Amino acid sequence: MKIPFNIDLRDKVAVVTGGGGVLCGSFAEALAECGAKVAVLDLSKEKADLTADKINKNGGLAIGVSANVLKKESLEEARKIITEKLGSCDILINGAGGNHHKGTTTKEYLYKEDSESNEDLITFFDLDPQGVEFVFNLNFLGTLLPSQVFTKDMLEKEGAVIINVSSMNAFTPLTKIPAYSGAKAAVSNFTKWLAVHMSKVGIRVNAIAPGFFVTQQNHALLINDDGTYTERAQKIINNTPMERFGKPEELLGTLLWLVDENASSFVNGTVIPVDGGFSAYSGV
Ligand code: NAD
């Protein structure tokens, strides 16, 4: 993997939740490339192992660990395994997250004629509380619980950091996805809260807010079967001054800067957009 610059993370242990996924898989690889021992945590052991194997084949040191960010016992179990095999956590990346179709409306706007029951549409009135709850839990609790479990090992450790993963939706909600937007707004808010709360024990907390990157979780929303952009993808491109989607490796400079004590020791409680200008553009 080509990383933008090297920082020295030898002797550091990084825990990356959602590390079996696209964005956080590349975060895990970059941290390993800089010398960190990496625990790749994912609900799917298979996906966690795939990322860890890739790192180990490239000369790094990583283990795949199955864990559910919504279950404290599962995280405690993972913490035990990680401490035994790699040592205690210095760097926590809270990357597991995502949306659910039951917290998503079919249309961008509500029209009077759609407000009666219609099997083909999920309107605002049909949003399923369990779907909404799932999304809030995955993104918000899924950030809070790993932070509770792993910061126990990070108190007053030199260079201890947490990086959360927020989203453009946290600044201005995207149409159709109120649950995901609200949940990511909560992640940004919590990033600031936790940075303040942890400031006396030397743990810095920041977040990256990625713009739009084509990954498993949004592929069907953005790319048609024939490879062309969907209407929604084209809208995103029209509102991104740089007129393209991001590539996962374009998040790595921000990640490494925020992780590195030498580079960002006074940066705390921030949410950094990496978005090709999306959040700066009013659309006019
Ligand atoms: P992804 O679906 O590729 O990866 C998410 C990973 O999280 C998956 O491997 C999944 O197995 C894992 N996961 C899901 N539930 C879990 C649980 N309960 N416990 C542990 N692991 C769990 O998604 P991605 O696009 O790489 O997204 C990574 C993060 O970036 C997410 O928080 C996402 O919301 C955020 N994000 C993505 C984009 C984008 O454009 N792709 C933009 C902004 C923010």
Side-chain angles (χ1 to χ4, degrees):
M1 146 179 273
K2 194 168 165 280
I3 54 169
F5 51 85
N6 249 293
I7 57 172
D8 186 1
L9 297 179
R10 279 171 301 175
D11 303 325
K12 301 279 187 203
V13 172
V15 175
V16 183
T17 77
V22 179
L23 300 185
C24 294
S26 92
F27 288 5
E29 283 182 61
L31 295 168
E33 190 94 11
C34 295
K37 292 177 262 181
V38 180
V40 182
L41 249 75
D42 206 284
L43 196 55
S44 155
K45 175 79 162 78
E46 202 186 330
K47 283 166 83 181
D49 284 343
L50 278 175
T51 304
D53 289 349
K54 201 166 166 200
I55 290 172
N56 290 325
K57 275 195 195 110
N58 286 329
L61 177 56
I63 56 169
V65 184
S66 139
N68 184 345
V69 293
L70 298 179
K71 296 223 160 87
K72 219 163 169 185
E73 323 80 74
S74 160
L75 291 162
E76 288 292 3
E77 191 53 38
R79 176 181 170 219
K80 222 186 282 164
I81 296 169
I82 295 164
T83 309
E84 243 171 61
K85 294 197 173 162
L86 302 180
S88 66
C89 178
D90 301 276
I91 299 163
L92 173 64
I93 313 291
N94 282 314
N99 192 23
H100 193 281
H101 64 93
K102 288 191 171 171
T104 302
T105 61
T106 313
K107 291 192 178 177
E108 294 182 351
Y109 305 100
L110 178 70
Y111 298 96
K112 179 88 171 53
E113 61 270 26
D114 294 333
S115 58
E116 298 305 321
S117 214
N118 177 341
E119 273 180 17
D120 299 328
L121 284 183
I122 299 178
T123 70
F124 172 66
F125 304 110
D126 304 318
L127 285 172
D128 178 348
Q130 281 177 342
V132 174
E133 192 178 16
F134 173 88
V135 178
F136 266 84
N137 284 350
L138 176 56
N139 293 281
F140 181 68
L141 271 186
T143 297
L144 185 140
L145 295 181
S147 300
Q148 280 184 321
V149 169
F150 289 102
T151 49
K152 282 186 200 143
D153 296 322
M154 295 162 69
L155 306 177
E156 295 186 348
K157 247 188 178 183
E158 171 112 20
V161 283
I162 298 178
I163 313 289
N164 296 330
V165 181
S166 185
S167 162
M168 284 301 107
N169 292 281
F171 301 106
T172 309
L174 255 63
T175 55
K176 298 187 185 182
I177 48 175
Y180 184 68
S181 299
K184 286 300 193 187
V187 169
S188 287
N189 190 283
F190 178 61
T191 299
K192 296 178 186 186
W193 184 87
L194 196 62
V196 172
H197 195 66
M198 292 289 171
S199 58
K200 313 296 183 219
V201 290
I203 303 173
R204 284 188 304 119
V205 187
N206 291 287
I208 300 176
F212 297 89
F213 296 76
V214 181
T215 60
Q216 281 142 263
Q217 98 183 10
N218 60 17
H219 194 274
L221 274 175
L222 301 178
I223 312 290
N224 292 316
D225 290 344
D226 63 3
T228 55
Y229 287 155
T230 62
E231 201 184 327
R232 194 161 172 87
Q234 194 55 56
K235 246 183 170 176
I236 291 168
I237 296 296
N238 294 346
N239 281 280
T240 303
M242 292 179 75
E243 285 187 282
R244 63 175 177 84
F245 287 106
K247 301 181 205 113
E249 60 269 27
E250 290 180 302
L251 295 168
L252 300 180
T254 305
L255 172 80
L256 298 178
W257 162 60
L258 288 174
V259 162
D260 185 23
E261 195 60 15
N262 293 315
S264 61
S265 53
F266 203 48
V267 181
N268 204 9
T270 64
V271 181
I272 309 290
V274 182
D275 65 350
F278 183 92
S279 60
Y281 182 47
S282 72
V284 179

